[in-house]
Amino acid sequence: MGHNLEETARALVAPGKGILAADESGGTIKKRFDSIGIESTEDSRRAYRDMLFTADGAADHISGVILYDETIRQSAHDGTPFPKLLESQGVIPGIKVDLGAKDLAHAPGEKITEGLDGLRDRFAEYFELGARFAKWRAVITIGEGIPSEYCLWTNAHALARYAALSQEAGLVPIVEPEVLMDGNHSIETSFDVTSRTLHAVFTELRDQRVHFEQMLLKPNMVLSGYDGSGRAGIQEVADQTIRCFRRHVPAAVPGIVFLSGGQTDEDATEHLNAMNAMGPHPWELSFSYGRALQAPALKAWGGEESNVAAGQAAYVQRARLNGLARSGSYSPEMETPVAA
Ligand code: 13P
């Protein structure tokens, strides 16, 4: 694994592979653990990530893993630091560097992501710890009269400041503007807001001298709101998402790695598959899923050492199916119950 950023960016979107987002913050992982009734402690979090990162066969479909500040300092059960363990499998370690979305002043219902102060020094430390790519997430909410241009441009500005610092430090920035799909908005509204968001983001990235060849974009797909009626089907989502990104994402960007954002596991795989079946595209279309790769594994594990093999089998199955969706080779009939 060289230190060439463009090479790293391309390796992260290698054919048949995608990224595992395992960078849940303390608050988010507690929510996930609460859903299966287990306590979130430093050791239960370590054991859970250990299960995912030591799963045999996952590295065939996983190019990189996004870690959290606590996780990048933790080790597998045999004492190998997680970043070293991943590297030994040919999996690139990454790190979430934002400090979360907070209320945006004078903008009820809107958020701004924090974490720029001191970021240059934090990047230097993360590079030492083995991270070769990074992630920063901006959150855009659709609602009555929002998002405002104020929210879009302040978040885009912060994303570009982060991305420039990341490249300076030798890490590939994953730029993540997430338009939330909560609510009952139409797919047209989702298209419009995603479009405005990408316009602001790529304007700021360019103005702040970010090298497009050395970054990846991690966006939402263009979906109907989760609570809407008459929601768009798989092919319409694929069509609208591609139409939107063709208008805004320069061909110099090596890859678009979608977040799953609360879609069902199967929908996230099917949408990605449908988009790749429409290719070739100017960029690789891949995944950087959190919930859509982990949900069945988390459930099968349930916090029990004796269920580790079952949890790993569930994770590898989702990784494999999403790997197939990278080339449009997935079909829903491949969904079979996992036996450990
Ligand atoms: P989801 O795929 O669960 O949306 O998580 C991806 C992620 O990293 C969100 O920041």
Side-chain angles (χ1 to χ4, degrees), residues 15-18 61 272 287 318-328:
K17 292 187 182 183
H61 320 287
L272 180 65
F287 57 91
R318 289 261 52 92
R320 186 174 61 79
L321 295 176
N322 284 301
L324 288 169
R326 290 279 285 101
S327 56

Side-chain angles (χ1 to χ4, degrees), residues 51-227:
M51 171 182 84
L52 297 176
F53 304 163
T54 59
D56 229 15
D60 294 343
H61 320 287
I62 299 294
S63 55
V65 174
I66 317 176
L67 304 168
Y68 180 57
D69 182 75
E70 175 185 85
T71 323
I72 197 171
R73 303 167 198 279
Q74 287 179 322
S75 299
H77 55 276
D78 70 354
T80 312
F82 282 143
K84 286 257 169 322
L85 171 78
L86 295 169
E87 258 175 60
S88 73
Q89 304 165 348
V91 175
I92 307 173
I95 182 75
K96 181 229 294 290
V97 301
D98 68 70
L99 300 179
K102 310 286 160 57
D103 289 341
L104 179 64
H106 293 316
E110 300 195 282
K111 300 279 184 194
I112 181 73
T113 302
E114 296 189 348
L116 289 169
D117 288 356
L119 186 54
R120 177 178 276 123
D121 294 338
R122 291 172 58 222
F123 267 129
E125 187 192 7
Y126 288 138
F127 188 94
E128 281 304 306
L129 289 167
R132 292 296 175 267
F133 72 102
K135 179 191 116 173
W136 176 290
R137 172 174 176 257
V139 180
I140 309 298
T141 307
I142 296 179
E144 201 53 46
I146 61 171
S148 62
E149 288 297 303
Y150 163 39
C151 172
L152 296 181
W153 287 91
T154 46
N155 273 290
H157 190 266
L159 274 167
R161 282 196 61 196
Y162 138 79
L165 279 166
S166 180
Q167 291 182 342
E168 181 192 84
L171 287 83
V172 170
I174 294 190
V175 172
E176 181 179 2
E178 177 175 5
V179 179
L180 297 176
M181 293 298 141
D182 302 307
N184 58 6
H185 59 267
S186 65
I187 192 166
E188 288 78 16
T189 298
S190 171
F191 184 99
D192 177 60
V193 173
T194 304
S195 194
R196 286 166 57 203
T197 301
L198 293 173
H199 172 66
V201 167
F202 279 95
T203 303
E204 287 292 343
L205 288 170
R206 190 186 156 78
D207 285 356
Q208 296 188 45
R209 306 177 183 173
V210 172
H211 306 298
F212 293 151
E213 291 80 1
Q214 302 178 355
M215 62 163 278
L216 296 172
L217 178 71
K218 175 165 174 168
N220 54 283
M221 297 178 193
V222 175
L223 308 176
S224 315
Y226 292 136
D227 303 327

